[in-house]
Amino acid sequence: MESGPAVFAGAAFTLFGAGLLLWTSVRVRLREPVAEGVEQVTAAVLGSVFGAAFLAAGVWAFTHL
């Protein structure tokens, strides 16, 4: 019964992290702003760090089923 919430959390974290990494990489490759009003380097680094952290959290949740 407790594996249901873990699967949902793992899926949500993994999808969000992958989406954030994809968004950041596409915006950097097209040389468009990643976040409005923030320097591109700062936004790209923070987006990549948080995307990787959410992806790691999703993988961690899947490994603890």
Side-chain angles (χ1 to χ4, degrees):
M1 187 71 174
E2 293 180 6
S3 66
V7 169
F8 177 76
F13 281 133
T14 303
L15 287 174
F16 182 74
L20 186 58
L21 286 173
L22 180 66
W23 167 264
T24 303
S25 64
V26 167
R27 298 297 283 190
V28 167
R29 189 178 64 210
L30 296 175
R31 298 194 189 277
E32 295 181 2
V34 176
E36 196 66 36
V38 181
E39 280 194 45
Q40 185 165 358
V41 173
T42 304
V45 168
L46 286 176
S48 299
V49 166
F50 281 107
F54 277 106
L55 194 60
V59 169
W60 179 82
F62 280 131
T63 61
H64 284 83
L65 288 178

